[in-house]
Amino acid sequence: MGVDPSFVGRTYPPTPPYEVARTALAAFAEATGATHPACTDVDAARALGYPDVVAPPTFAVVVAQAAESQYVADPAAGIDFSRVVHADERFTHHRPIHAGDRLVTVLHVESVTERAGLSLVATRCEIADAAGAPVATVRSTLAVRPQDDGTQGGTP
């Protein structure tokens, strides 16, 4: 079974709030090599006008992937995560994410395109703060490889 194209246009309910913790931001900064002091030092962040430490720009993917899991984990969607390759990720930041944020995300399935047996699944995550103000938009494309039926010379 391939990716079900009938999911295109589907909007998932808002996620429970994701509480951004200083420790999560520090761990993400270390893992990604982000070295700006505002990502780990409260005083440095406040000196720049932020209320707390600031997330590296790509941290929004952590929040978005939690929302995308609603779709990917749905067996009816036809996405075998073991066959997924991350093809593209794009961020539009409306304001920086910082420690103390409570972020809610709404996932939109934008398209499912088949190319040479590969399913390209495009999603959009709208991330907002607790008051509903936009924080970031994350657009992702996942490439879902087809099941190998043994005719392509692959390992079953």
Side-chain angles (χ1 to χ4, degrees):
M1 175 175 105
V3 177
D4 186 343
S6 72
F7 279 68
V8 173
R10 186 172 291 193
T11 297
Y12 284 80
T15 61
Y18 178 96
E19 298 194 27
V20 181
R22 286 179 186 163
T23 54
L25 296 182
F28 191 87
E30 182 178 354
T32 59
T35 58
H36 195 286
C39 294
T40 55
D41 182 312
V42 176
D43 292 332
R46 288 185 178 150
L48 294 172
Y50 300 109
D52 210 315
V53 294
V54 179
T58 55
F59 182 80
V61 74
V62 172
V63 182
Q65 284 182 342
E68 289 170 342
S69 70
Q70 299 173 92
Y71 173 41
V72 172
D74 184 343
I79 299 173
D80 176 354
F81 197 70
S82 71
R83 305 187 88 54
V84 169
V85 176
H86 206 114
D88 190 35
E89 195 88 53
R90 296 176 189 262
F91 303 91
T92 301
H93 293 280
H94 308 294
R95 70 147 172 91
I97 294 172
H98 54 77
D101 273 335
R102 292 176 43 85
L103 304 174
V104 175
T105 306
V106 175
L107 169 68
H108 304 270
V109 180
E110 298 210 309
S111 67
V112 175
T113 307
E114 296 287 330
R115 291 198 181 132
L118 192 70
S119 296
L120 298 173
V121 179
T123 62
R124 175 174 44 93
C125 289
E126 296 293 347
I127 302 171
D129 64 18
V135 174
T137 301
V138 180
R139 293 181 183 275
S140 298
T141 303
L142 302 177
V144 184
R145 295 177 292 122
Q147 292 274 348
D148 186 356
D149 63 5
T151 62
Q152 304 286 319
T155 305

